[in-house]
Amino acid sequence: MKRILSISLTALALAPCCVGTITAEAEDSARVFVTIADENGKLALAQAEVAVTDIDGDGALTLCDALYAAHEANYPGGAAAGFASSEGPFGKQLDQLWGAENGTGYGYYVNHTSAMSLGDPISDGDYVAAFVYTDTTAWSDSYCWFDCNTAEISETESITLTLSAAGYDENWNPISLPVSGAVITINGEKTEYITDENGSAAIRFESADSYLISAVSDTQILVPPVCKIAVSAQETTTTLTTPADTETTTSTAQTAPTTSDRGIGAYFSAAAVLSGIALISRKRKHETN
């Protein structure tokens, strides 16, 4: 009840400033970077650049538009074969992701912040991530991310990456947790690099090239994080792109049994606050199914 009350009060505080956001003129198109982990926990897309338009004609660019466009451009047979959504009582919901029909066993994030529904807005340059839960009993898949999305370094440099996972504290407040003991993978291959107690690992590359960095763990199920690194033969100024917002919401994945990543929308108006309590109750009931 404390958690529900906290969420409801937060939504009430945000409501006056969010009403204007809802009515603001929508962008015509956006360029986003989409990462998808499939039903086997493997990366199907890793920061694939996707051009997004208002495909469903609702007057806004949303997470639904981004995932639809990502499937249309990259999934065999297009979005019709691998992606499905529907309108539920609390907004758009995901019914199929990368060909997997897994009930409501999905998670979806924008800039490493848990999305409330597929109706959440997206903007140019956003990083979108979606995954199919592999643990459909305890829902223990942990969404995690590195402290930078991309980096450009030279052969003479090493780079330290820090891996965090979304979780809750003892009062169900959303927090970021360091992921220790995770093995860093480079282009899909395990390396000798292991994250320390702070979730950090210093990595050096043997030659100039482009590298896809991720991580795996023997002690928890990690939703594959992604960092793309370009290594130059010439000494260059290190350039990083960092997550726009690493603050998690109440529907994030966690090391304890997780949710299906639905909750109170950041853009709820004051009139929707009371329905937020019903939504959270439904969400917690849904987690036990």
Side-chain angles (χ1 to χ4, degrees), residues 16-275:
C17 62
C18 292
V19 173
T21 303
I22 296 172
T23 59
E25 183 177 353
E27 299 176 72
D28 292 331
S29 63
R31 175 186 56 97
V32 301
F33 302 91
V34 178
T35 297
I36 294 177
D38 65 18
E39 60 187 330
N40 298 312
K42 305 300 183 183
L43 283 171
L45 293 180
Q47 293 183 9
E49 185 172 343
V50 175
V52 182
T53 58
D54 182 15
I55 295 170
D56 54 15
D58 63 357
L61 298 182
T62 64
L63 181 56
C64 187
D65 295 323
L67 292 177
Y68 182 98
H71 283 76
E72 188 69 13
N74 297 281
Y75 189 80
F83 175 78
S85 64
S86 63
E87 194 68 30
F90 301 100
K92 289 185 178 178
Q93 60 189 23
L94 189 57
D95 299 324
Q96 185 181 30
L97 179 69
W98 210 254
E101 296 181 9
N102 195 23
T104 53
Y106 310 98
Y108 25 90
Y109 288 70
V110 179
N111 297 325
H112 308 303
T113 297
S114 177
M116 311 285 55
S117 76
L118 293 186
D120 278 27
I122 54 98
S123 299
D124 192 72
D126 280 349
Y127 284 79
V128 170
F131 64 94
V132 183
Y133 276 94
T134 61
D135 178 6
T136 57
T137 301
W139 309 100
S140 62
D141 300 50
S142 293
Y143 180 78
C144 56
W145 65 93
F146 291 113
D147 58 339
C148 69
N149 295 316
T150 66
E152 296 179 9
I153 65 174
S154 71
E155 286 180 306
T156 62
E157 298 176 294
S158 65
I159 185 171
T160 298
L161 298 178
T162 299
L163 184 62
S164 300
Y168 294 122
D169 65 14
E170 64 277 6
N171 296 314
W172 288 100
N173 297 309
I175 58 174
S176 299
L177 303 170
V179 181
S180 62
V183 176
I184 298 297
T185 66
I186 298 179
N187 294 340
E189 299 295 327
K190 290 183 178 181
T191 69
E192 72 275 16
Y193 301 114
I194 300 175
T195 57
D196 62 19
E197 66 274 11
N198 299 313
S200 298
I203 306 169
R204 186 176 292 276
F205 301 89
E206 296 182 355
S207 59
D209 207 338
S210 296
Y211 297 92
L212 175 63
I213 313 302
S214 190
V216 295
S217 174
D218 292 331
T219 60
Q220 57 183 306
I221 302 173
L222 301 182
V223 176
V226 173
C227 177
K228 286 187 172 182
I229 298 181
V231 180
S232 170
Q234 301 296 322
E235 186 170 353
T236 184
T237 301
T238 299
T239 303
L240 307 176
T241 64
T242 58
D245 183 3
T246 57
E247 180 182 354
T248 59
T249 71
T250 54
S251 55
T252 52
Q254 52 189 324
T255 54
T258 62
T259 72
S260 57
D261 299 275
R262 308 189 200 281
I264 304 300
Y267 48 82
F268 267 13
S269 66
V273 172
L274 293 179
S275 67

